[in-house]
Amino acid sequence: MRAGALSAGDAKRGHCLAPDYIAWQVARSRRMLGRTPDVVFLHNPEHDCQEDEIADRLYSAFLALEEACNQRVISSYGVTTWRGFSSGLFDVPALLELATKAGGPQHHLRAIQLPVSLVHLTPVAQALNGHGPLVDALDAGLEVFASAPLHGGEIPGILTRELTDLISPGSTPAQAALASTTGVRRVLLSTGNPEHWTQAADAIGRPPLSPDVLRKVVDVLGT
């Protein structure tokens, strides 16, 4: 606010994707990081936004991010969302169309981030049927980042031994939960326990679950 990049109203709402604020924030992030960020995410563009407003909000934000890429302040950008895809407010083709409008065919949209877990199985179920954000991102060459794979640490405590063995026989509940993100190369999690980190890396590094197993999991848990 002191820099004039954020209005009092936006500060009160706790969310802002105005172009001036984006430009200020990415420049600040670059200084703090000490190098050019590989990818900068727009965080929850659906926040406090109506369906008829989302395209304009994304487009103006993409313009600011394309300018930051052209000035080499950042290398690329993405969209991270909690419910943007699941609510139908936007999809990957819509994001690509807006990115092309903002930056041309050589735009810098490179990634999406969304929750993928045993609590948020809809993207997995959609992929099994050949559609949805995971499939669209793969077809477009976008990186996919899976957020909240353990749902804030809650999932391992609610997995039964039977379900754990259905997903990944002999695994811990946490490993089985992470296996549900199968096919996603970037999985976001945190731990202060080296053993947990080793187990997580092992789970992510295993071959993807078969479609048959995934269908059984979806049948058991729903979406």
Side-chain angles (χ1 to χ4, degrees):
M1 289 179 66
R2 286 193 298 270
L6 185 67
S7 71
D10 286 331
K12 185 176 181 179
R13 282 190 293 271
H15 189 273
C16 181
L17 294 181
D20 287 348
Y21 180 68
I22 289 174
W24 179 82
Q25 187 67 281
V26 295
R28 181 173 180 268
S29 295
R30 186 181 187 278
R31 290 195 302 272
M32 294 179 67
L33 187 61
R35 65 173 180 85
T36 302
D38 297 319
V39 58
V40 168
F41 282 102
L42 287 180
H43 186 70
N44 288 343
E46 71 275 12
H47 180 80
D48 194 29
C49 189
Q50 301 301 314
E51 184 175 359
D52 60 351
E53 300 172 337
I54 189 68
D56 287 343
R57 173 181 285 189
L58 285 166
Y59 176 59
S60 65
F62 284 4
L63 282 174
L65 290 165
E66 289 289 347
E67 179 62 22
C69 290
N70 292 335
Q71 294 180 0
R72 299 184 179 180
V73 178
I74 63 176
S75 296
S76 66
Y77 61 92
V79 173
T80 176
T81 178
W82 189 255
R83 62 176 188 88
F85 294 123
S86 61
S87 67
L89 273 178
F90 51 80
D91 56 20
V92 170
L95 296 180
L96 291 167
E97 182 179 348
L98 289 168
T100 301
K101 182 180 177 183
Q106 303 303 315
H107 62 79
H108 296 84
L109 176 65
R110 296 289 183 270
I112 61 170
Q113 182 189 134
L114 70 160
V116 182
S117 71
L118 293 176
V119 173
H120 295 279
L121 273 173
T122 296
V124 175
Q126 291 173 327
L128 288 170
N129 292 319
H131 63 92
L134 301 185
V135 171
D136 290 341
L138 178 64
D139 290 345
L142 300 181
E143 287 271 20
V144 176
F145 290 70
S147 60
L150 301 180
H151 201 63
E154 294 181 9
I155 293 177
I158 61 177
L159 277 188
T160 64
R161 186 70 255 171
E162 182 180 13
L163 183 55
T164 298
D165 286 339
L166 170 63
I167 298 169
S168 184
S171 295
T172 66
Q175 287 176 312
L178 291 173
S180 69
T181 64
T182 186
V184 179
R185 295 179 56 205
R186 311 289 188 182
V187 179
L188 305 179
L189 53 87
S190 62
T191 177
N193 185 314
E195 182 181 354
H196 289 172
W197 184 256
T198 300
Q199 291 177 359
D202 176 67
I204 299 300
R206 293 179 183 180
L209 298 182
S210 71
D212 286 343
V213 170
L214 286 172
R215 286 191 175 93
K216 289 178 181 177
V217 173
V218 171
D219 287 343
V220 171
L221 295 178
T223 58

